[in-house]
Amino acid sequence: MIVYLAALAAIDPALHDAAKVDGASKLQRIRHIDLPGIMPVVTILFILAIGNLLNVGFEKALLMQTPLNISTSEIIQTYVYHAGLQQAQFSYSAAIGLFNSLLNLALLLVFNTIARRANQATLW
């Protein structure tokens, strides 16, 4: 929220004053001044959130697992934990973790390309 407020504070107040003089309503000023002004920040924060899409929350999932629900509550991180530390299949669990990271990277690159084609701000 602080990042969005900082982006709104960076918008030139003269734009709002000119829109008021031209007779724009509050909703029109939001639509035509505020939203385009914060859209680069929204795009960058969205891309950063996409990078962590497959990281669910290992601790919460692991603590909630029981022998009764393990078949339906298994996620990638808990599977890596079970395979790597409990079954001592270190190379297999490392490969699964790498695959998870590559999927996160692929999602990040796809959405960064979409943002670049939409002429929004991107990470690089």
Side-chain angles (χ1 to χ4, degrees), residues 1-48:
M1 189 67 188
I2 293 172
V3 174
Y4 293 122
L5 287 174
L8 281 173
I11 296 174
D12 188 15
L15 293 173
H16 283 282
D17 293 339
K20 282 181 189 176
V21 169
D22 289 341
S25 68
K26 184 68 174 170
L27 288 176
Q28 288 174 333
R29 286 185 288 158
I30 290 172
R31 181 176 174 217
H32 296 290
I33 297 172
D34 291 337
L35 287 179
I38 66 168
M39 198 51 87
V41 173
V42 170
T43 304
I44 288 175
L45 290 177
F46 179 71
I47 291 171
L48 290 173

Side-chain angles (χ1 to χ4, degrees), residues 53-103:
L53 188 65
L54 296 179
N55 296 334
V56 176
F58 166 74
E59 297 87 8
K60 295 173 190 167
L62 183 67
L63 292 174
M64 296 294 287
Q65 285 182 345
T66 64
L68 295 174
N69 68 2
I70 193 129
S71 63
T72 57
S73 66
E74 192 85 75
I75 59 174
I76 295 174
Q77 287 87 7
T78 59
Y79 184 72
V80 167
Y81 170 75
H82 290 302
L85 295 178
Q86 291 181 342
Q87 299 171 2
Q89 297 176 345
F90 302 118
S91 59
Y92 178 65
S93 64
I96 294 172
L98 179 65
F99 181 71
N100 185 25
S101 298
L102 290 176
L103 283 177

